[in-house]
Amino acid sequence: MKVYIFLIIFFLFISSCNNKPVEPSETSLIVISNFEFNPTEIIIQKGTTVTWKHDDSVTHKIVSLGIFESENLERGYEFSFTFNEIGEYNYYCSIHPSMKGKIIVK
Amino acid sequence: MISNLFKKAFIVGAFTIFFDFIFHKFLTHPMESLTYFMIKFLLAFFVAIGIYTLNNYRIKKRFIIPISGLIFSTLMSIYYRMWELGEAGVPFGSRAPDIIGISRDNLILFSGTWWFGHAIFFIISILIADKLVNSYGD
């Protein structure tokens, strides 16, 4: 009986210790629709290429000051950028400045 | 001492962006930027200065106020259409946010709502400024 109790406690202990750190997102595709970046914020590994896919009714232009700047994007068009430096990158649509997003590179 | 002219124009600017903010908050998407509201405030302020300095404003205010609202709204539209076609190089109307319940495809209704809305916000603000400042003995 003591063995069973020990095993249960041991199992609970092990399972409680199994808190994995938050893994960086595998997502590297951001969809622009309904005047929003979806997802708004992603975590990626250094060297990941992020692609923004335009699926909205109006033109958008993605800008991260001093880092990258897309052309004017129409529906169906894409823009990609490879993040080779660790850091946090805020970006926005220069046509609709309230549209904002963030890329966290680890 | 701040003159009544300045006071009234300031009130017009402040109320115009207040009504516009409420409109954007609940009926459009996405929310507009701080720059947008600042430009709108300045435009409303200077258009108000313009009409308050007209010699016959008091006599013909029933005509001047509605017309000034339409002028204000038109100037705002001209600014953004020029920005779209000039600086940003994007298609006509790209800058305007969506209005909830009104399709962008219906260009007359969509642009008309913007135009009329901005004019109404300005006109109401003029009436409020007239009421408020006149009550102080202007």
Side-chain angles (χ1 to χ4, degrees), chain A residues 34-36 56-59 61 72 74 94-99, chain B residues 29-33 83 88-91 94-98 104:
Chain A
N34 192 28
F35 287 90
E36 286 172 3
D56 209 350
S57 55
V58 296
T59 308
K61 183 175 186 173
N72 289 332
E74 303 287 346
S94 64
I95 302 166
H96 311 97
S98 300
M99 289 175 62
Chain B
H29 179 75
M31 174 46 98
E32 271 297 356
S33 61
W83 180 85
V90 294
S94 298
R95 178 63 177 74
D98 277 343
R104 303 180 81 90

mmCIF file of all heavy atoms in Angstrom, chain A residues 34-36 56-59 61 72 74 94-99, chain B residues 29-33 83 88-91 94-98 104:
data_model
loop_
_atom_site.group_PDB
_atom_site.id
_atom_site.type_symbol
_atom_site.label_atom_id
_atom_site.label_comp_id
_atom_site.label_asym_id
_atom_site.label_seq_id
_atom_site.Cartn_x
_atom_site.Cartn_y
_atom_site.Cartn_z
ATOM 1 N N ASN A 34 -9.763 42.444 -42.398
ATOM 2 C CA ASN A 34 -10.637 43.285 -41.589
ATOM 3 C C ASN A 34 -9.852 44.352 -40.812
ATOM 4 O O ASN A 34 -10.068 44.554 -39.624
ATOM 5 C CB ASN A 34 -11.465 42.399 -40.634
ATOM 6 C CG ASN A 34 -12.582 43.154 -39.983
ATOM 7 O OD1 ASN A 34 -13.090 44.120 -40.550
ATOM 8 N ND2 ASN A 34 -12.959 42.740 -38.787
ATOM 9 N N PHE A 35 -8.893 44.958 -41.456
ATOM 10 C CA PHE A 35 -8.059 46.010 -40.868
ATOM 11 C C PHE A 35 -7.303 45.527 -39.624
ATOM 12 O O PHE A 35 -7.101 46.287 -38.676
ATOM 13 C CB PHE A 35 -8.906 47.237 -40.498
ATOM 14 C CG PHE A 35 -9.366 48.043 -41.680
ATOM 15 C CD1 PHE A 35 -10.560 47.769 -42.317
ATOM 16 C CD2 PHE A 35 -8.584 49.083 -42.175
ATOM 17 C CE1 PHE A 35 -10.986 48.507 -43.407
ATOM 18 C CE2 PHE A 35 -9.011 49.830 -43.263
ATOM 19 C CZ PHE A 35 -10.211 49.542 -43.880
ATOM 20 N N GLU A 36 -6.889 44.273 -39.621
ATOM 21 C CA GLU A 36 -6.121 43.736 -38.485
ATOM 22 C C GLU A 36 -5.042 42.790 -38.973
ATOM 23 O O GLU A 36 -5.185 42.159 -40.022
ATOM 24 C CB GLU A 36 -7.056 42.980 -37.529
ATOM 25 C CG GLU A 36 -7.940 43.896 -36.707
ATOM 26 C CD GLU A 36 -9.002 43.147 -35.915
ATOM 27 O OE1 GLU A 36 -9.013 41.896 -35.966
ATOM 28 O OE2 GLU A 36 -9.826 43.814 -35.283
ATOM 29 N N ASP A 56 -7.577 41.635 -47.512
ATOM 30 C CA ASP A 56 -8.490 42.687 -47.046
ATOM 31 C C ASP A 56 -9.032 43.465 -48.238
ATOM 32 O O ASP A 56 -8.556 43.301 -49.361
ATOM 33 C CB ASP A 56 -7.749 43.616 -46.075
ATOM 34 C CG ASP A 56 -8.673 44.252 -45.056
ATOM 35 O OD1 ASP A 56 -9.902 44.126 -45.204
ATOM 36 O OD2 ASP A 56 -8.166 44.877 -44.115
ATOM 37 N N SER A 57 -9.995 44.307 -47.951
ATOM 38 C CA SER A 57 -10.678 45.015 -49.037
ATOM 39 C C SER A 57 -9.929 46.265 -49.504
ATOM 40 O O SER A 57 -10.212 46.788 -50.568
ATOM 41 C CB SER A 57 -12.088 45.401 -48.585
ATOM 42 O OG SER A 57 -12.019 46.139 -47.386
ATOM 43 N N VAL A 58 -9.006 46.756 -48.687
ATOM 44 C CA VAL A 58 -8.287 47.981 -49.072
ATOM 45 C C VAL A 58 -6.773 47.754 -49.025
ATOM 46 O O VAL A 58 -6.292 46.774 -48.450
ATOM 47 C CB VAL A 58 -8.626 49.174 -48.138
ATOM 48 C CG1 VAL A 58 -10.087 49.558 -48.244
ATOM 49 C CG2 VAL A 58 -8.269 48.860 -46.706
ATOM 50 N N THR A 59 -6.059 48.683 -49.611
ATOM 51 C CA THR A 59 -4.601 48.608 -49.674
ATOM 52 C C THR A 59 -3.982 48.804 -48.295
ATOM 53 O O THR A 59 -4.449 49.631 -47.513
ATOM 54 C CB THR A 59 -4.071 49.709 -50.621
ATOM 55 O OG1 THR A 59 -4.773 49.620 -51.859
ATOM 56 C CG2 THR A 59 -2.585 49.571 -50.871
ATOM 57 N N LYS A 61 0.066 48.903 -46.195
ATOM 58 C CA LYS A 61 1.525 48.975 -46.357
ATOM 59 C C LYS A 61 2.155 48.747 -44.992
ATOM 60 O O LYS A 61 1.901 49.516 -44.057
ATOM 61 C CB LYS A 61 1.919 50.349 -46.914
ATOM 62 C CG LYS A 61 3.404 50.481 -47.183
ATOM 63 C CD LYS A 61 3.714 51.810 -47.849
ATOM 64 C CE LYS A 61 5.175 51.877 -48.256
ATOM 65 N NZ LYS A 61 5.480 53.067 -49.037
ATOM 66 N N ASN A 72 2.959 48.879 -51.378
ATOM 67 C CA ASN A 72 1.507 48.875 -51.156
ATOM 68 C C ASN A 72 0.977 47.495 -51.529
ATOM 69 O O ASN A 72 1.239 47.005 -52.629
ATOM 70 C CB ASN A 72 0.824 49.935 -52.013
ATOM 71 C CG ASN A 72 1.133 51.334 -51.522
ATOM 72 O OD1 ASN A 72 1.381 51.544 -50.343
ATOM 73 N ND2 ASN A 72 1.132 52.290 -52.431
ATOM 74 N N GLU A 74 -2.037 44.792 -52.197
ATOM 75 C CA GLU A 74 -3.446 44.594 -52.545
ATOM 76 C C GLU A 74 -3.831 43.175 -52.167
ATOM 77 O O GLU A 74 -2.964 42.353 -51.847
ATOM 78 C CB GLU A 74 -3.647 44.789 -54.056
ATOM 79 C CG GLU A 74 -3.193 46.140 -54.588
ATOM 80 C CD GLU A 74 -4.098 47.289 -54.197
ATOM 81 O OE1 GLU A 74 -5.223 47.022 -53.731
ATOM 82 O OE2 GLU A 74 -3.680 48.448 -54.334
ATOM 83 N N SER A 94 1.145 51.878 -42.610
ATOM 84 C CA SER A 94 1.369 53.324 -42.739
ATOM 85 C C SER A 94 0.153 54.033 -43.327
ATOM 86 O O SER A 94 0.034 55.246 -43.219
ATOM 87 C CB SER A 94 2.603 53.600 -43.602
ATOM 88 O OG SER A 94 2.391 53.145 -44.914
ATOM 89 N N ILE A 95 -0.760 53.279 -43.936
ATOM 90 C CA ILE A 95 -1.983 53.899 -44.464
ATOM 91 C C ILE A 95 -3.044 53.996 -43.361
ATOM 92 O O ILE A 95 -3.810 54.949 -43.318
ATOM 93 C CB ILE A 95 -2.517 53.088 -45.665
ATOM 94 C CG1 ILE A 95 -1.439 53.013 -46.746
ATOM 95 C CG2 ILE A 95 -3.801 53.699 -46.231
ATOM 96 C CD1 ILE A 95 -1.705 51.989 -47.820
ATOM 97 N N HIS A 96 -3.062 53.000 -42.479
ATOM 98 C CA HIS A 96 -4.025 52.979 -41.358
ATOM 99 C C HIS A 96 -3.223 52.804 -40.072
ATOM 100 O O HIS A 96 -3.056 51.669 -39.591
ATOM 101 C CB HIS A 96 -5.021 51.836 -41.536
ATOM 102 C CG HIS A 96 -5.614 51.795 -42.913
ATOM 103 N ND1 HIS A 96 -5.142 50.973 -43.910
ATOM 104 C CD2 HIS A 96 -6.629 52.515 -43.456
ATOM 105 C CE1 HIS A 96 -5.840 51.181 -45.011
ATOM 106 N NE2 HIS A 96 -6.748 52.109 -44.771
ATOM 107 N N PRO A 97 -2.695 53.876 -39.519
ATOM 108 C CA PRO A 97 -1.732 53.779 -38.408
ATOM 109 C C PRO A 97 -2.247 53.072 -37.147
ATOM 110 O O PRO A 97 -1.449 52.676 -36.307
ATOM 111 C CB PRO A 97 -1.398 55.239 -38.105
ATOM 112 C CG PRO A 97 -1.781 55.996 -39.327
ATOM 113 C CD PRO A 97 -2.927 55.261 -39.930
ATOM 114 N N SER A 98 -3.564 52.918 -37.030
ATOM 115 C CA SER A 98 -4.082 52.201 -35.854
ATOM 116 C C SER A 98 -3.862 50.693 -35.967
ATOM 117 O O SER A 98 -3.998 49.986 -34.973
ATOM 118 C CB SER A 98 -5.568 52.471 -35.685
ATOM 119 O OG SER A 98 -5.781 53.842 -35.519
ATOM 120 N N MET A 99 -3.566 50.214 -37.144
ATOM 121 C CA MET A 99 -3.289 48.774 -37.323
ATOM 122 C C MET A 99 -1.854 48.512 -36.881
ATOM 123 O O MET A 99 -0.918 48.981 -37.526
ATOM 124 C CB MET A 99 -3.436 48.377 -38.789
ATOM 125 C CG MET A 99 -4.836 48.361 -39.319
ATOM 126 S SD MET A 99 -4.850 48.034 -41.090
ATOM 127 C CE MET A 99 -4.119 46.407 -41.156
ATOM 128 N N HIS B 29 -14.232 51.044 -38.085
ATOM 129 C CA HIS B 29 -13.116 50.174 -37.734
ATOM 130 C C HIS B 29 -12.056 50.274 -38.821
ATOM 131 O O HIS B 29 -12.397 50.175 -39.989
ATOM 132 C CB HIS B 29 -13.599 48.722 -37.606
ATOM 133 C CG HIS B 29 -12.501 47.778 -37.282
ATOM 134 N ND1 HIS B 29 -11.946 47.698 -36.029
ATOM 135 C CD2 HIS B 29 -11.823 46.884 -38.046
ATOM 136 C CE1 HIS B 29 -10.989 46.781 -36.038
ATOM 137 N NE2 HIS B 29 -10.899 46.282 -37.243
ATOM 138 N N PRO B 30 -10.782 50.496 -38.521
ATOM 139 C CA PRO B 30 -10.220 50.624 -37.171
ATOM 140 C C PRO B 30 -10.337 52.054 -36.651
ATOM 141 O O PRO B 30 -10.735 52.950 -37.387
ATOM 142 C CB PRO B 30 -8.756 50.271 -37.410
ATOM 143 C CG PRO B 30 -8.473 50.753 -38.788
ATOM 144 C CD PRO B 30 -9.749 50.571 -39.560
ATOM 145 N N MET B 31 -9.975 52.235 -35.401
ATOM 146 C CA MET B 31 -9.961 53.567 -34.789
ATOM 147 C C MET B 31 -8.938 54.434 -35.520
ATOM 148 O O MET B 31 -7.940 53.936 -36.013
ATOM 149 C CB MET B 31 -9.590 53.432 -33.312
ATOM 150 C CG MET B 31 -9.405 54.742 -32.572
ATOM 151 S SD MET B 31 -10.691 55.947 -32.857
ATOM 152 C CE MET B 31 -11.731 55.724 -31.456
ATOM 153 N N GLU B 32 -9.228 55.723 -35.588
ATOM 154 C CA GLU B 32 -8.305 56.635 -36.255
ATOM 155 C C GLU B 32 -7.111 56.971 -35.357
ATOM 156 O O GLU B 32 -7.125 56.700 -34.162
ATOM 157 C CB GLU B 32 -9.052 57.917 -36.648
ATOM 158 C CG GLU B 32 -9.688 57.843 -38.019
ATOM 159 C CD GLU B 32 -8.665 57.676 -39.140
ATOM 160 O OE1 GLU B 32 -7.461 57.690 -38.859
ATOM 161 O OE2 GLU B 32 -9.092 57.513 -40.279
ATOM 162 N N SER B 33 -6.096 57.561 -35.988
ATOM 163 C CA SER B 33 -4.862 57.878 -35.264
ATOM 164 C C SER B 33 -4.946 59.244 -34.588
ATOM 165 O O SER B 33 -5.823 60.055 -34.913
ATOM 166 C CB SER B 33 -3.690 57.875 -36.244
ATOM 167 O OG SER B 33 -3.909 58.860 -37.229
ATOM 168 N N TRP B 83 -3.603 63.056 -50.112
ATOM 169 C CA TRP B 83 -2.591 62.225 -49.446
ATOM 170 C C TRP B 83 -2.554 60.828 -50.076
ATOM 171 O O TRP B 83 -1.482 60.284 -50.335
ATOM 172 C CB TRP B 83 -2.912 62.139 -47.948
ATOM 173 C CG TRP B 83 -1.929 61.318 -47.188
ATOM 174 C CD1 TRP B 83 -0.734 61.736 -46.658
ATOM 175 C CD2 TRP B 83 -2.043 59.925 -46.860
ATOM 176 N NE1 TRP B 83 -0.111 60.681 -46.035
ATOM 177 C CE2 TRP B 83 -0.886 59.566 -46.146
ATOM 178 C CE3 TRP B 83 -3.005 58.950 -47.117
ATOM 179 C CZ2 TRP B 83 -0.656 58.273 -45.677
ATOM 180 C CZ3 TRP B 83 -2.790 57.659 -46.655
ATOM 181 C CH2 TRP B 83 -1.631 57.334 -45.939
ATOM 182 N N ALA B 88 0.943 58.731 -50.520
ATOM 183 C CA ALA B 88 0.888 57.286 -50.265
ATOM 184 C C ALA B 88 0.813 56.470 -51.556
ATOM 185 O O ALA B 88 1.243 55.314 -51.580
ATOM 186 C CB ALA B 88 -0.321 56.971 -49.379
ATOM 187 N N GLY B 89 0.282 57.054 -52.598
ATOM 188 C CA GLY B 89 0.170 56.335 -53.867
ATOM 189 C C GLY B 89 -0.760 55.137 -53.802
ATOM 190 O O GLY B 89 -0.468 54.077 -54.349
ATOM 191 N N VAL B 90 -1.855 55.284 -53.090
ATOM 192 C CA VAL B 90 -2.816 54.182 -52.944
ATOM 193 C C VAL B 90 -4.137 54.580 -53.599
ATOM 194 O O VAL B 90 -4.391 55.763 -53.817
ATOM 195 C CB VAL B 90 -3.053 53.814 -51.458
ATOM 196 C CG1 VAL B 90 -1.789 53.245 -50.850
ATOM 197 C CG2 VAL B 90 -3.545 55.011 -50.662
ATOM 198 N N PRO B 91 -4.980 53.595 -53.920
ATOM 199 C CA PRO B 91 -6.233 53.916 -54.592
ATOM 200 C C PRO B 91 -7.133 54.852 -53.788
ATOM 201 O O PRO B 91 -7.084 54.875 -52.554
ATOM 202 C CB PRO B 91 -6.900 52.548 -54.760
ATOM 203 C CG PRO B 91 -5.797 51.559 -54.701
ATOM 204 C CD PRO B 91 -4.783 52.147 -53.761
ATOM 205 N N SER B 94 -8.738 54.600 -49.964
ATOM 206 C CA SER B 94 -8.086 53.537 -49.168
ATOM 207 C C SER B 94 -7.912 53.928 -47.708
ATOM 208 O O SER B 94 -7.884 53.070 -46.826
ATOM 209 C CB SER B 94 -6.699 53.205 -49.727
ATOM 210 O OG SER B 94 -6.796 52.717 -51.021
ATOM 211 N N ARG B 95 -7.751 55.221 -47.449
ATOM 212 C CA ARG B 95 -7.442 55.666 -46.098
ATOM 213 C C ARG B 95 -8.635 55.531 -45.152
ATOM 214 O O ARG B 95 -8.466 55.338 -43.957
ATOM 215 C CB ARG B 95 -6.969 57.128 -46.160
ATOM 216 C CG ARG B 95 -6.635 57.788 -44.837
ATOM 217 C CD ARG B 95 -5.462 57.086 -44.170
ATOM 218 N NE ARG B 95 -5.068 57.733 -42.933
ATOM 219 C CZ ARG B 95 -5.756 57.658 -41.794
ATOM 220 N NH1 ARG B 95 -6.876 56.983 -41.752
ATOM 221 N NH2 ARG B 95 -5.296 58.257 -40.704
ATOM 222 N N ALA B 96 -9.831 55.646 -45.703
ATOM 223 C CA ALA B 96 -11.024 55.672 -44.852
ATOM 224 C C ALA B 96 -11.275 54.318 -44.194
ATOM 225 O O ALA B 96 -11.222 53.283 -44.856
ATOM 226 C CB ALA B 96 -12.234 56.062 -45.691
ATOM 227 N N PRO B 97 -11.534 54.309 -42.897
ATOM 228 C CA PRO B 97 -11.874 53.048 -42.225
ATOM 229 C C PRO B 97 -13.250 52.543 -42.694
ATOM 230 O O PRO B 97 -14.005 53.281 -43.325
ATOM 231 C CB PRO B 97 -11.936 53.439 -40.745
ATOM 232 C CG PRO B 97 -11.339 54.782 -40.634
ATOM 233 C CD PRO B 97 -11.494 55.432 -41.960
ATOM 234 N N ASP B 98 -13.549 51.301 -42.365
ATOM 235 C CA ASP B 98 -14.877 50.752 -42.649
ATOM 236 C C ASP B 98 -15.907 51.414 -41.741
ATOM 237 O O ASP B 98 -15.613 51.722 -40.578
ATOM 238 C CB ASP B 98 -14.899 49.241 -42.377
ATOM 239 C CG ASP B 98 -14.350 48.459 -43.557
ATOM 240 O OD1 ASP B 98 -14.269 49.025 -44.661
ATOM 241 O OD2 ASP B 98 -14.004 47.276 -43.363
ATOM 242 N N ARG B 104 -18.329 49.317 -48.470
ATOM 243 C CA ARG B 104 -17.459 50.215 -49.231
ATOM 244 C C ARG B 104 -17.806 50.186 -50.711
ATOM 245 O O ARG B 104 -17.465 51.120 -51.448
ATOM 246 C CB ARG B 104 -15.995 49.795 -49.091
ATOM 247 C CG ARG B 104 -15.462 49.730 -47.708
ATOM 248 C CD ARG B 104 -14.016 49.310 -47.739
ATOM 249 N NE ARG B 104 -13.147 50.426 -48.044
ATOM 250 C CZ ARG B 104 -12.614 51.221 -47.102
ATOM 251 N NH1 ARG B 104 -12.838 51.011 -45.842
ATOM 252 N NH2 ARG B 104 -11.831 52.222 -47.445
#
